Amino acid sequence: MRKTKTMTTYSRSNSSRTIAGQSKGKAKAAEIVYQVSEAFMTPVHTEYRFGAMAAGGAGKGLRARLEALGLRDWRFDVAIPEYQIAVELDGGTWIHGRHSRGAGVISDMDKINAATVRGWRVLRYTHTNHKMSQIMADISTLIYATK
């Protein structure tokens, strides 16, 4: 089996970004990163390691630091660290995917609660409400509420 590189294409006319070879969730996360970084001129990350950063960053001794703080190496789908805003894109809602089964729901609650008590504001969306205009409006509201 031959591996191919992921291709990214930009289209400024309709602000769309297509990412070949990625899931819809990852493509949506990349679209959010692109639009937020363009609109607010701030660093935006996908797969942001919230747990590791809360424990002092990745590196030697991370597992012990996470355990001491009662954290796990959680990741946000999209994060804007400057404003402590995170976006979670939950997939598989109607097919009993990870985010809609008992253990997954509990794990998500643990992550969101740990982030909230540390000052993060987390926006959650499912694949049925991934409307970019609403996501951008919600992020804008949170950013301007911070300033």
Side-chain angles (χ1 to χ4, degrees):
M1 177 182 280
R2 201 173 130 190
K3 288 189 175 187
T4 59
K5 287 187 176 183
T6 301
M7 298 182 338
T8 305
T9 59
Y10 298 89
S11 172
R12 296 238 183 226
S13 62
N14 63 5
S15 296
S16 69
R17 183 176 178 167
T18 305
I19 301 179
Q22 288 191 354
S23 69
K24 289 180 183 179
K26 289 192 186 279
K28 182 60 74 172
E31 176 69 14
I32 294 168
V33 168
Y34 176 72
Q35 288 201 21
V36 171
S37 61
E38 289 281 309
F40 299 104
M41 300 303 212
T42 187
V44 183
H45 307 276
T46 58
E47 297 292 323
Y48 181 78
R49 293 178 69 184
F50 155 71
M53 299 311 286
K60 189 172 182 166
L62 176 61
R63 286 185 186 175
R65 287 182 278 134
L66 287 169
E67 188 174 322
L69 294 171
L71 300 174
R72 290 191 293 242
D73 194 11
W74 289 304
R75 289 170 170 75
F76 290 134
D77 294 330
V78 176
I80 311 165
E82 180 180 349
Y83 296 101
Q84 286 191 294
I85 297 170
V87 177
E88 285 291 290
L89 305 169
D90 296 345
T93 307
W94 303 108
I95 60 168
H96 301 292
R98 183 221 174 282
H99 298 286
S100 61
R101 290 191 310 256
V105 171
I106 291 169
S107 178
D108 284 349
M109 286 179 185
D110 291 343
K111 175 171 129 179
I112 301 302
N113 291 342
T116 302
V117 299
R118 286 167 176 76
W120 284 84
R121 292 161 299 165
V122 182
L123 299 169
R124 290 184 70 186
Y125 302 94
T126 67
H127 73 283
T128 57
N129 69 349
H130 278 168
K131 299 205 177 6
M132 187 56 66
S133 59
Q134 185 61 53
I135 293 171
M136 288 300 292
D138 293 345
I139 291 171
S140 295
T141 299
L142 289 177
I143 287 176
Y144 289 120
T146 305
K147 291 184 177 183

